[in-house]
């Protein structure tokens, strides 16, 4: 994490989340319009890109699942992780997690998910066409952060 303390990292993440929330809902891609609900992947990719731009390298976009499809308890979720450090700005979409922002070296809540995917968290390096749709909202977030 370099020389940035967890408190400084939390403040950076909070500012990013608040800026995202305050962007015009019509300017957001569909996956971010009901933030935080259903917005975990897109917002994790955006935040991962922002952290990289701030010199905080090595975060992966981790996706996991828990529950069972047969009884309708199955859910998926995505967050950022670097070694044991977890950053999550959408966990509050779930009824069993009240925290709007998680910046923690350990998260029992995240351990309840079975991780099925880890990828680079910079959407600009993704080969997925859908990830490229994040460019305009990212530029808007950067513009608002600069004000």
């Amino acid at each position: 994490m370099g020389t940035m303390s967890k408190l400084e990292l939390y403040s950076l993440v909070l500012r990013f989340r608040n800026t995202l929330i305050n962007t015009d809902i019509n300017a957001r891609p569909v996956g971010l319009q009901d933030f935080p609900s259903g917005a975990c992947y897109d917002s994790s990719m955006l935040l991962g890109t922002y952290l990289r731009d701030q010199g905080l390298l090595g975060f992966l976009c981790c996706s996991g699942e828990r529950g069972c499809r047969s009884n309708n308890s199955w859910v998926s979720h995505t967050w950022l992780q670097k070694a044991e450090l977890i950053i999550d700005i959408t966990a509050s979409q779930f009824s069993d997690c009240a925290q709007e922002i998680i910046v923690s070296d350990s998260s029992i809540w995240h351990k309840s998910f079975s991780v099925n995917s880890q990828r680079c968290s910079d959407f600009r390096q993704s080969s997925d066409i859908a990830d490229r749709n994040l460019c305009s909202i990212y530029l808007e977030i950067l513009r608002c952060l600069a004000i």
Side-chain angles (χ1 to χ4, degrees):
M1 199 168 64
T3 59
M4 186 173 284
S5 72
K6 269 212 201 85
L7 182 58
E8 291 169 321
L9 180 59
Y10 184 92
S11 295
L12 187 72
V13 170
L14 174 64
R15 189 165 175 249
F16 182 90
R17 185 182 194 274
N18 287 342
T19 303
L20 173 58
I21 289 170
N22 289 317
T23 58
D24 179 0
I25 196 162
N26 297 314
R28 297 183 206 165
V30 173
L32 292 170
Q33 289 185 356
D34 197 24
F35 186 92
S37 297
C40 49
Y41 177 79
D42 285 354
S43 59
S44 291
M45 291 296 279
L46 288 166
L47 179 58
T49 302
Y50 180 68
L51 293 176
R52 182 181 178 89
D53 287 350
Q54 300 305 302
L56 300 169
L57 308 177
F59 283 96
L60 294 173
C61 200
C62 297
S63 297
E65 59 187 10
R66 67 178 184 186
C68 181
R69 291 181 194 265
S70 64
N71 68 6
N72 247 4
S73 67
W74 181 88
V75 293
S76 64
H77 188 49
T78 303
W79 61 92
L80 296 176
Q81 190 162 345
K82 179 180 179 179
E84 296 300 311
L85 180 61
I86 291 171
I87 300 176
D88 192 335
I89 61 172
T90 61
S92 62
Q93 70 182 297
F94 296 96
S95 61
D96 62 336
C97 187
Q99 292 174 269
E100 288 187 345
I101 296 174
I102 295 172
V103 176
S104 175
D105 283 326
S106 177
S107 170
I108 293 170
W109 187 80
H110 285 88
K111 288 180 182 172
S112 71
F113 289 88
S114 174
V115 175
N116 56 21
S117 169
Q118 292 183 325
R119 65 171 66 194
C120 172
S121 62
D122 185 336
F123 72 85
R124 298 168 300 195
Q125 296 180 3
S126 174
S127 59
D128 189 336
I129 290 282
D131 289 345
R132 299 213 178 108
N133 291 332
L134 297 173
C135 188
S136 62
I137 190 64
Y138 185 66
L139 293 174
E140 178 62 15
I141 290 168
L142 291 180
R143 187 189 69 74
C144 292
L145 284 167
I147 294 174

